Amino acid sequence: VSRSTGLIVTEKVGAKEERPKPLGEIFQAIDRHSAFEIAGQIVGQVQQLGELQDNSKPLKALLWPAHDQANLAEQWRGVRLQLSGNAPTPDPVALYEELRQSDEKVRLREQPIVHGDLHMNNVALDDTSKGPAAYIFDPGVIRRSAAGRDVAVLEVSILLHQPIPLESFKNICAIIYDASRPVDVDAVSSIHDPKAQNIAEFIRGLRMGVKGWNQPELYALLVFDFVLIQLGGLRFGSSGNRITDKSAVGVLAAYVADWCR
């Protein structure tokens, strides 16, 4: 028994000999039902990493400890100028500073280990007679953390780590980061671009899967935290951070900060 090291053992991805398909390649080809189902499969595999355990800790302890506020402010200045139209205008760096200084404690559920690197390139799909079957693989730092963190990371990765036309990207954000209404089937149906609709439906499936894990406000904080990691990572260039459109980071940071607040 080790208290400092965890090990995840996974099967080969898929039952066939052919190479599995990366998650990012299938959103143009599948339908909304498949997108929702694939999200549920992924959440189910994340849930197998350990039973949920109750805990209490400071709100600020849920934030990544290596955030550099000066760098976040610099990167935000660089991308906020690209915001236009109906995008919200909150300052995500100001919200981060507010959260970092908070003394509030929260009750939450944790998992004994998390995948630790669940971006979209670490999910692959096998074709089966029943449709696509998803497999998570290649974990990162697998440690105890808030339940839902892996899924929050995947939500952000789905949006930033694949090419999405900026107008479609804004349409997705306007739907899934609107705190005034639920992300339901009718909301997703209002998106006209088929690929964007599948992405929104996939994210709806992720959130439905983790709905009972923690309060929605806490999940929103986990999403916000990883958006900040992506924003700060622009310092090293977008390609090294897997980001396909630098301007999308500014749009996402604005919408998520508004949603989280």
Side-chain angles (χ1 to χ4, degrees):
V1 176
S2 169
R3 297 188 180 277
S4 61
T5 304
L7 175 67
I8 297 177
V9 180
T10 60
E11 317 177 58
K12 179 178 74 71
V13 175
K16 301 179 180 179
E17 293 304 318
E18 292 84 2
R19 291 181 64 82
K21 294 180 180 179
L23 179 60
E25 290 186 6
I26 57 96
F27 283 104
Q28 195 71 53
I30 60 175
D31 56 25
R32 286 178 53 184
H33 176 74
S34 296
F36 187 88
E37 289 296 314
I38 291 167
Q41 293 173 19
I42 294 168
V43 172
Q45 291 181 36
V46 171
Q47 191 169 19
Q48 291 179 41
L49 299 181
E51 295 183 1
L52 304 184
Q53 301 170 356
D54 293 326
N55 200 356
S56 175
K57 59 175 52 179
L59 184 70
K60 59 188 176 184
L62 301 178
L63 298 170
W64 189 48
H67 284 307
D68 181 334
Q69 186 174 348
N71 175 53
L72 288 173
E74 179 183 347
Q75 303 309 322
W76 173 242
R77 284 193 296 270
V79 296
R80 70 179 177 182
L81 300 176
Q82 303 175 56
L83 299 177
S84 60
N86 297 322
T89 56
D91 183 343
V93 183
L95 176 57
Y96 163 70
E97 177 62 12
E98 182 181 327
L99 292 168
R100 190 179 67 85
Q101 294 184 0
S102 172
D103 292 323
E104 180 184 353
K105 293 194 72 173
V106 292
R107 298 286 303 175
L108 74 156
R109 286 174 158 182
E110 295 183 321
Q111 283 189 287
I113 62 171
V114 294
H115 180 281
D117 194 24
L118 195 59
H119 56 78
M120 61 183 294
N121 289 334
N122 283 343
V123 179
L125 294 110
D126 187 28
D127 284 325
T128 73
S129 59
K130 297 181 180 180
Y135 297 81
I136 65 174
F137 64 97
D138 196 15
V141 180
I142 47 179
R143 57 182 173 80
R144 183 183 181 95
S145 191
R149 188 178 294 278
D150 283 330
V151 178
V153 168
L154 183 58
E155 175 173 323
V156 175
S157 174
I158 286 295
L159 291 168
L160 293 182
H161 297 168
Q162 64 175 318
I164 305 172
L166 193 57
E167 285 307 309
S168 293
F169 186 89
K170 291 178 180 178
N171 289 338
I172 296 171
C173 290
I175 295 297
I176 64 176
Y177 297 117
D178 183 352
S180 66
R181 63 174 180 173
V183 183
D184 54 20
V185 173
D186 291 336
V188 174
S189 297
S190 66
I191 302 173
H192 300 298
D193 176 16
K195 179 180 177 180
Q197 195 176 83
N198 285 339
I199 291 170
E201 187 71 2
F202 178 84
I203 291 173
R204 187 176 80 87
L206 292 179
R207 294 191 192 167
M208 285 292 291
V210 301
K211 189 175 181 180
W213 294 12
N214 270 309
Q215 293 297 319
E217 295 84 359
L218 194 144
Y219 180 77
L221 177 62
L222 299 177
V223 172
F224 177 65
D225 188 47
F226 193 64
V227 170
L228 290 180
I229 291 174
Q230 298 293 287
L231 177 64
L234 291 177
R235 176 183 188 177
F236 307 105
S238 59
S239 61
N241 211 24
R242 301 190 183 92
I243 292 170
T244 60
D245 184 353
K246 183 177 178 180
S247 60
V249 182
V251 173
L252 186 61
Y255 272 102
V256 171
D258 190 55
W259 176 63
C260 188
R261 184 177 288 282

